[in-house]
C-alpha cells in the first residue's frame, strides 16, 4: 500500500511568463492533515487547483497515490480526490439530501440514477456529520456553516481517499467556523488524507498534524505543527512580528498567535 497519498515534485506554476511558485515540493502521507498557511496571493488555492488537476503545471509533476495526476480519467480522479470549495450558492433550491447525493455521480455511470443505497449512504454521512436533521431542508435556506457541512457531506459521498478544502471557514461567523473545524478534525482522526488552506494561523492547532507555510517564493517551512508553528516562521510568512501565547484549558496546554502591532 502506497503511504504517500499526495506528492508534489519540483512543481512550477506560471501565469504567462510570471512564476507563481517554482520548484515546490510537498509530500502528504496517508491519514495526515496538512494546513497551508500564507498571505493572500502566494498561491495556496492555485496549489490546490494544481493538485486537483484543474491547473496544469509549467514544470515538475504531481502524483496521487503514486500515479501522475495527468494519467487519471475524470471518473478515476473523482473517486480518489474530493474538493470542497469555499461556500457557494446552489442555482436551484435542492434539498440538502439531494445536494449530498450528487456526490454519488462518479459511481453511477453515464446514464445511471441514484439507487436506494445511494440515498442511504447520503443519510448516513449526514448523520455522521451531525446534519441529518437538514436532509429535507432547502440548501439555499440553511446557514453558511450548515451549507459548508452539506458540501463536505457531498464530497464524502464520492468516497474519496484524499480531501482538499479551500478556506472552508471563509466568510463564516465564530460559531460556524468552530462547527466546520470540528468536523475537519474528526475526518482527519478517521484516517482521511486532508490538505486545507486557511487564512487563520490559529486554526492549525485545532485541526491538523502538519503545516506548510507559503511565501511569495514558495515554501518557507513544512513539517509537524509543534516544530513549524514558531514565532520566527510565522513572522517570516506574514511579514509582521507574531507572538505565540500559551494557556491552560481543562489541564491541556492551548496555543494561539497574534500579530505584534506595537
Amino acid at each position: 500500500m502506497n503511504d504517500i497519498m499526495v506528492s508534489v515534485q519540483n512543481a512550477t506554476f506560471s501565469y504567462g511568463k510570471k512564476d507563481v511558485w517554482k520548484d515546490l515540493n510537498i509530500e502528504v502521507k496517508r491519514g495526515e492533515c496538512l494546513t497551508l498557511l500564507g498571505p493572500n496571493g502566494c498561491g495556496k488555492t492555485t496549489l490546490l487547483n494544481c493538485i486537483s488537476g484543474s491547473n496544469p503545471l509549467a514544470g515538475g509533476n504531481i502524483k496521487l497515490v503514486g500515479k501522475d495526476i495527468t494519467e487519471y480519467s475524470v471518473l478515476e480522479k473523482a473517486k480518489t480526490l474530493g474538493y470542497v470549495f469555499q461556500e457557494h450558492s446552489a442555482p436551484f433550491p435542492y434539498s440538502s439530501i439531494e445536494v449530498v447525493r450528487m456526490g454519488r455521480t462518479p459511481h453511477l455511470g453515464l446514464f445511471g440514477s441514484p439507487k436506494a443505497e445511494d440515498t442511504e449512504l447520503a443519510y448516513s454521512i449526514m448523520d455522521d456529520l451531525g446534519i441529518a436533521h437538514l436532509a429535507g431542508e432547502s440548501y439555499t435556506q440553511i446557514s453558511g456553516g450548515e451549507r459548508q457541512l452539506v458540501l463536505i457531506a457531498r464530497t464524502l459521498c464520492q468516497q474519496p481517499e484524499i480531501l482538499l478544502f479551500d478556506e472552508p471557514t471563509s466568510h463564516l461567523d465564530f460559531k460556524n467556523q468552530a462547527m466546520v473545524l470540528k468536523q475537519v478534525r474528526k475526518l482527519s482522526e478517521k484516517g482521511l488524507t486532508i490538505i486545507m488552506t486557511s487564512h487563520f494561523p490559529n486554526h492549525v492547532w485545532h485541526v491538523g498534524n502538519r503545516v506548510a507555510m507559503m511565501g511569495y517564493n514558495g515554501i518557507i517551512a513544512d513539517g509537524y505543527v509543534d516544530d513549524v508553528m514558531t514565532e520566527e516562521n510565522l513572522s517570516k510568512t506574514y511579514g509582521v512580528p507574531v507572538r505565540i501565547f500559551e494557556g491552560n484549558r481543562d489541564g491541556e496546554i492551548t496555543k494561539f498567535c497574534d500579530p505584534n502591532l506595537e
Side-chain angles (χ1 to χ4, degrees):
M1 182 179 292
N2 194 337
D3 194 42
I4 304 298
M5 300 297 287
V6 179
S7 176
V8 181
Q9 301 173 334
N10 302 317
T12 298
F13 182 81
S14 306
Y15 285 119
K17 295 183 179 180
K18 181 181 179 181
D19 291 338
V20 178
W21 28 258
K22 188 175 182 179
D23 296 329
L24 188 145
N25 292 275
I26 289 178
E27 284 189 343
V28 186
K29 295 181 180 179
R30 187 180 301 275
E32 286 187 330
C33 180
L34 172 71
T35 305
L36 295 173
L37 293 180
N40 289 339
C42 70
K44 301 187 299 296
T45 297
T46 298
L47 177 56
L48 287 194
N49 289 334
C50 289
I51 293 172
S52 74
S54 300
N55 288 350
L57 295 174
N61 63 78
I62 294 174
K63 294 181 179 180
L64 304 180
V65 203
K67 181 177 177 179
D68 196 285
I69 187 69
T70 60
E71 298 175 5
Y72 277 84
S73 69
V74 173
L75 284 180
E76 284 178 323
K77 193 188 307 176
K79 294 177 182 179
T80 303
L81 181 145
Y83 197 158
V84 181
F85 297 90
Q86 295 184 31
E87 182 190 357
H88 86 300
S89 297
F92 302 105
Y94 294 107
S95 68
S96 294
I97 188 66
E98 288 175 314
V99 173
V100 174
R101 200 171 54 189
M102 290 175 187
R104 296 305 296 158
T105 302
H107 300 272
L108 299 180
L110 185 60
F111 299 107
S113 58
K115 299 180 175 61
E117 53 263 36
D118 297 308
T119 301
E120 289 173 5
L121 177 62
Y123 271 116
S124 175
I125 290 172
M126 293 185 76
D127 189 44
D128 286 344
L129 293 178
I131 55 171
H133 62 286
L134 299 176
E137 299 292 326
S138 171
Y139 177 78
T140 58
Q141 298 301 313
I142 59 180
S143 74
E146 290 169 336
R147 281 197 296 272
Q148 280 295 77
L149 292 179
V150 169
L151 292 181
I152 292 172
R154 183 186 68 177
T155 304
L156 291 176
C157 240
Q158 296 174 216
Q159 296 182 301
E161 299 179 82
I162 302 163
L163 288 175
L164 305 181
F165 290 95
D166 186 21
E167 303 283 355
T169 60
S170 180
H171 311 304
L172 298 183
D173 63 25
F174 193 67
K175 175 184 176 181
N176 284 317
Q177 285 186 30
M179 184 191 309
V180 171
L181 290 174
K182 177 181 178 181
Q183 296 303 332
V184 172
R185 185 177 69 243
K186 283 186 175 182
L187 294 173
S188 175
E189 290 170 351
K190 288 182 178 180
L192 281 167
T193 303
I194 297 172
I195 303 178
M196 180 182 88
T197 65
S198 180
H199 278 310
F200 306 103
N202 288 321
H203 288 176
V204 173
W205 282 297
H206 294 287
V207 296
N209 47 23
R210 286 269 312 283
V211 59
M213 298 183 183
M214 294 182 67
Y216 293 110
N217 295 307
I219 300 296
I220 292 173
D222 173 22
Y224 291 108
V225 171
D226 288 342
D227 298 328
V228 174
M229 289 291 282
T230 66
E231 292 181 347
E232 180 182 0
N233 285 338
L234 286 165
S235 300
K236 187 175 180 181
T237 298
Y238 291 103
V240 61
V242 176
R243 293 190 63 188
I244 294 176
F245 301 89
E246 292 187 0
N248 190 306
R249 184 175 61 185
D250 299 327
E252 293 187 4
I253 298 298
T254 62
K255 295 182 179 181
F256 64 95
C257 63
D258 201 47
N260 184 358
L261 302 180
E262 296 180 359

